[in-house]
Amino acid sequence: MEEGFNKKRAVLTLSQEPEVGAMAAAPVGTVHWSKWSSLPGDLVRRIADSFLASNDLDHYMCLRAVCTCWRSATDEPKDNASDPRFQPRRWIVLDEVFQTEGKLLLLNTDTGRFLHKKLPLLREYYVVATTPSGFFVLADRSPPHAARVFNPLTGDLTRFVAPMPPEVGVAEVICDKGALYLHFLGDSTCKIYMALPGNQGFVSTDCGKKVYNIFRDAILGGAYPQRISGPALVAAFVGLDAQLFLHIEIQGRTPFVFKMNNGIGKIEPVESIGRFAIFIGHHGCLAVDADKFPGMEANCIYYTQDLGSSAHICKYNIKDKKVERLSEVAEFMKQDKKFVLVTARPSTIIQLLCSYTIKCRDSELVWQQTL
């Protein structure tokens, strides 16, 4: 978070400092731009690339807005919508409870950076879903409700011809060979939907439960909870990196964490997940670097314990094999079949991430059609 702040401060400094040679003659408070606008293009690109490396696309857009010279030295995201550099990665949209004055709270789970961003465009469409990487999937308000993909960090809107499918569960935007594919998964029917921007409709594929779960796993990067088979059982597969995938079961108050030992071809207990912390809820799970988040403990699993009309946040320390409830008072209460965070503001990062995993965003289009 500090690194991102320093880079943003550097851009502001470069864009606002007066020229040294003109400083004595200029009135107090005058800002001169000519010096910084004449920076070598390769230097401007190096600064811009540092923002792209950390996926701080909003900082990149601010840099391009400084002057024409900086804009011409860098690539235009709207001309390269399918370029992976300009796509959000690991940005999650925190619950609508945290909206204020039309702003949404976004979080980069790789760097720990929060972004409170105003997105007036969302008022012009139905918000159908958000993807695990940070895209908004929208639908036209007018029939046949054509699909749209909105990048909240660059402001780019990709228009699809195809109307929104009748059911939407998990959504993801995938770039392959310079093209953007929009995928939907329908949990109730085990169907997979796919379309390119120019397609007249979504292509749907009926899958058996086993095949469907494989696709669901692939789209969500190996981090999702399986369906709850009882009031106290949650199974999740979490990918920490390319080599390590965990299987986690939470039954009652005792989590079990396993990994596949490829050397011997067997599943074995996990003794440590290093600096990571894992969050598991009814509708999602998430692995983050605990060092990026103050107050979070590494090598732990945070999960929500469903008590029917309420839910508590629990923490399981993998090393000590101890479970503790973080508060005697329930952090979530069930309202209209959904759990709502009821603890006093300001909320902790642990509460925010647990809220993200325990709740599922409702499609505004589906809600409107049921009225």
Side-chain angles (χ1 to χ4, degrees), residues 27 63 71 81 83 177 205 212 234 249 323 332:
L63 179 143
R71 197 154 46 249
D83 190 325
K177 297 180 181 180
T205 303
Y212 176 84
V234 177
E249 292 184 3
V323 174
F332 297 92

Short mmCIF file of all heavy atoms in Angstrom, two decimals, residues 27 63 71 81 83 177 205 212 234 249 323 332:
data_model
loop_
_atom_site.label_atom_id
_atom_site.label_comp_id
_atom_site.label_asym_id
_atom_site.label_seq_id
_atom_site.Cartn_x
_atom_site.Cartn_y
_atom_site.Cartn_z
N PRO A 27 5.02 34.47 -10.16
CA PRO A 27 4.27 34.80 -8.94
C PRO A 27 4.17 33.59 -8.04
O PRO A 27 4.21 32.45 -8.50
CB PRO A 27 2.89 35.22 -9.48
CG PRO A 27 3.10 35.53 -10.92
CD PRO A 27 4.23 34.67 -11.38
N LEU A 63 -1.75 9.49 -14.75
CA LEU A 63 -0.49 9.90 -15.38
C LEU A 63 -0.73 10.35 -16.82
O LEU A 63 -0.21 11.37 -17.26
CB LEU A 63 0.51 8.74 -15.34
CG LEU A 63 1.89 8.97 -15.97
CD1 LEU A 63 2.98 8.28 -15.16
CD2 LEU A 63 1.93 8.47 -17.42
N ARG A 71 0.70 11.56 -22.55
CA ARG A 71 -0.32 10.70 -23.14
C ARG A 71 0.22 10.04 -24.42
O ARG A 71 -0.03 8.86 -24.66
CB ARG A 71 -1.58 11.52 -23.44
CG ARG A 71 -2.82 10.72 -23.67
CD ARG A 71 -4.09 11.48 -23.34
NE ARG A 71 -4.12 12.83 -23.87
CZ ARG A 71 -4.04 13.93 -23.10
NH1 ARG A 71 -3.94 13.81 -21.78
NH2 ARG A 71 -4.08 15.13 -23.64
N ALA A 81 -8.20 -2.92 -25.29
CA ALA A 81 -9.06 -3.43 -24.22
C ALA A 81 -8.76 -4.88 -23.86
O ALA A 81 -8.96 -5.30 -22.72
CB ALA A 81 -10.53 -3.29 -24.61
N ASP A 83 -5.74 -6.21 -24.00
CA ASP A 83 -4.36 -6.31 -23.53
C ASP A 83 -4.36 -6.63 -22.03
O ASP A 83 -4.94 -5.89 -21.24
CB ASP A 83 -3.63 -4.99 -23.79
CG ASP A 83 -2.12 -5.10 -23.56
OD1 ASP A 83 -1.70 -5.85 -22.65
OD2 ASP A 83 -1.37 -4.41 -24.28
N LYS A 177 -5.85 -14.55 -27.18
CA LYS A 177 -5.43 -14.19 -28.54
C LYS A 177 -6.06 -12.87 -28.98
O LYS A 177 -6.55 -12.73 -30.11
CB LYS A 177 -5.80 -15.32 -29.51
CG LYS A 177 -5.09 -16.63 -29.21
CD LYS A 177 -5.49 -17.71 -30.20
CE LYS A 177 -4.78 -19.03 -29.86
NZ LYS A 177 -5.15 -20.12 -30.79
N THR A 205 -23.62 -24.52 -22.98
CA THR A 205 -23.23 -25.93 -22.97
C THR A 205 -23.75 -26.58 -21.70
O THR A 205 -23.50 -26.08 -20.60
CB THR A 205 -21.69 -26.07 -23.02
OG1 THR A 205 -21.19 -25.39 -24.18
CG2 THR A 205 -21.29 -27.53 -23.07
N TYR A 212 -18.95 -29.51 -14.72
CA TYR A 212 -19.28 -28.13 -14.38
C TYR A 212 -18.39 -27.61 -13.26
O TYR A 212 -17.89 -26.48 -13.33
CB TYR A 212 -20.75 -28.05 -13.97
CG TYR A 212 -21.19 -26.68 -13.51
CD1 TYR A 212 -21.58 -25.71 -14.42
CD2 TYR A 212 -21.22 -26.35 -12.15
CE1 TYR A 212 -21.98 -24.45 -14.01
CE2 TYR A 212 -21.61 -25.10 -11.73
CZ TYR A 212 -22.00 -24.15 -12.66
OH TYR A 212 -22.39 -22.90 -12.25
N VAL A 234 -18.12 -27.11 5.07
CA VAL A 234 -17.73 -26.37 3.88
C VAL A 234 -16.45 -26.99 3.36
O VAL A 234 -15.52 -27.22 4.12
CB VAL A 234 -17.50 -24.87 4.19
CG1 VAL A 234 -17.02 -24.15 2.93
CG2 VAL A 234 -18.78 -24.22 4.69
N GLU A 249 -11.58 -28.54 4.63
CA GLU A 249 -12.91 -28.90 5.11
C GLU A 249 -13.10 -28.32 6.50
O GLU A 249 -12.21 -28.42 7.35
CB GLU A 249 -13.08 -30.42 5.17
CG GLU A 249 -13.10 -31.08 3.80
CD GLU A 249 -13.37 -32.56 3.90
OE1 GLU A 249 -13.60 -33.04 5.03
OE2 GLU A 249 -13.36 -33.23 2.84
N VAL A 323 -8.71 -23.15 17.22
CA VAL A 323 -9.80 -22.35 16.68
C VAL A 323 -10.26 -21.36 17.73
O VAL A 323 -10.42 -21.72 18.90
CB VAL A 323 -10.99 -23.25 16.26
CG1 VAL A 323 -12.18 -22.39 15.83
CG2 VAL A 323 -10.58 -24.19 15.14
N PHE A 332 -22.48 -11.09 11.82
CA PHE A 332 -23.44 -11.09 10.73
C PHE A 332 -24.82 -11.52 11.25
O PHE A 332 -24.92 -12.39 12.10
CB PHE A 332 -23.01 -12.06 9.62
CG PHE A 332 -21.71 -11.70 8.96
CD1 PHE A 332 -20.52 -12.24 9.44
CD2 PHE A 332 -21.66 -10.83 7.89
CE1 PHE A 332 -19.31 -11.93 8.83
CE2 PHE A 332 -20.46 -10.51 7.29
CZ PHE A 332 -19.29 -11.06 7.76
#
